[in-house]
Amino acid sequence: MSKQEANPIEAKPALSEQEMEALDSFLMSDATSSEVMMLDSLDGFLTAIASGPAIPTPDEWIPRVWGPAAEDAPTFTSDTQAEKITSLLIRHLNATVWSLNQELESFEPIFDVNVYEGDEHEYIDGENWANGYMTGIEMLRDSWKTLFAAKHAAEVLRPIYLLGSPDITEAEEALIETPAQREALSKTIPASVGAIYKFWAPQRRAAENANGNAENATPNISRNAPCICGSGRKYKKCCGAAQNED
């Protein structure tokens, strides 16, 4: 995978353990509202931005970290603290972009781990992470329409949707009732993220070539090439067919 596939933001190393703890502590502090994203939700949100069709400016996405309303903005003790937290958020996004670009096959989301009384197993739970990812999609929903129209979109988005959407049906709720069910779905999320990232790769490259204007860019893919969703079919017989039907 070429380095050109990274977004225009300069890739930087992942946050250190101490920096992650500092960011986590601030998110949980009284300086933020009850609507703020916790660290796992934030990671899902930033992964949606990094794996999607285009990356918004910090002024567009950072306010959503604090909550859906303007009054959810945090109370910083100083400009220095505001700059520090903002820098940590942006660097975490940069690190996520770098990870997807350079180490997609080994990408590891930040999931919660839960233990239940009478059960020694530690269950991976990506529910909060998936909720953050769905928030990232909703923030730029119009830009994601091409993926929604793709034939395998439901399959690719399934674990993220089931765990993270607030609008699932009762039948779908039955699929995430137990810790074991949520863990099984959570373990499939990295593969879904990989498929989504590959789907939008041509559009991200087009956006870079157009100075970041990805709003109306259309993936330029050979119709006889393997489909970018990973189905193994030719593009013209898979996701390309959905676009031709529009």
Side-chain angles (χ1 to χ4, degrees):
M1 195 174 296
S2 68
K3 291 184 178 179
Q4 290 182 342
E5 201 164 297
N7 84 94
I9 300 174
E10 179 186 356
K12 296 183 180 180
L15 300 184
S16 67
E17 183 177 344
Q18 291 77 12
E19 288 172 328
M20 289 292 280
E21 290 177 355
L23 180 57
D24 189 30
S25 295
F26 181 80
L27 295 174
M28 294 190 297
S29 73
D30 293 338
T32 60
S33 78
S34 60
E35 299 295 326
V36 71
M37 294 180 183
M38 294 293 101
L39 196 59
D40 48 359
S41 298
L42 172 66
D43 190 67
F45 177 67
L46 296 183
T47 303
I49 292 174
S51 62
I55 295 183
T57 65
D59 287 344
E60 293 175 301
W61 64 263
I62 288 180
R64 189 59 189 84
V65 172
W66 312 129
E71 53 265 30
D72 294 321
T75 303
F76 294 109
T77 57
S78 65
D79 290 343
T80 299
Q81 185 189 46
E83 291 172 3
K84 176 184 177 181
I85 297 301
T86 299
S87 175
L88 292 176
L89 289 172
I90 293 174
R91 286 179 54 207
H92 190 33
L93 173 59
N94 291 350
T96 304
V97 170
W98 186 92
S99 180
L100 293 176
N101 187 24
Q102 301 294 331
E103 301 176 345
L104 182 61
E105 301 306 319
S106 57
F107 174 70
E108 294 185 5
I110 297 177
F111 288 155
D112 195 9
V113 177
N114 296 324
V115 178
Y116 299 88
E117 186 176 357
D119 190 342
E120 296 181 354
H121 184 77
E122 294 184 343
Y123 291 94
I124 297 171
D125 195 332
E127 186 172 358
N128 291 333
W129 187 98
N131 183 264
Y133 197 101
M134 290 299 296
T135 300
I137 290 178
E138 289 299 323
M139 185 179 69
L140 298 170
R141 189 172 184 83
D142 287 346
S143 298
W144 284 71
K145 286 182 177 178
T146 303
L147 176 60
F148 299 152
K151 284 189 173 182
H152 298 281
E155 179 181 347
V156 169
L157 289 169
R158 181 175 180 270
I160 300 173
Y161 164 76
L162 287 176
L163 289 169
S165 175
D167 301 319
I168 62 176
T169 66
E170 288 187 11
E172 290 169 334
E173 287 180 358
L175 301 175
I176 59 170
E177 283 182 344
T178 69
Q181 287 175 313
R182 293 193 294 275
E183 179 176 76
L185 284 170
S186 299
K187 287 181 176 180
T188 67
I189 283 179
S192 290
V193 171
I196 294 169
Y197 182 81
K198 291 175 182 177
F199 179 90
W200 290 119
Q203 181 154 321
R204 283 192 300 273
R205 287 195 293 268
E208 292 166 20
N209 293 335
N211 297 319
N213 182 21
E215 188 73 19
N216 298 311
T218 300
N220 183 17
I221 308 166
S222 170
R223 288 174 51 75
N224 290 313
C227 190
I228 49 184
C229 75
S231 67
R233 300 179 178 86
K234 289 185 179 181
Y235 178 71
K236 65 183 178 181
K237 296 291 186 180
C238 194
C239 295
Q243 294 181 11
N244 291 334
E245 292 170 0
D246 294 341

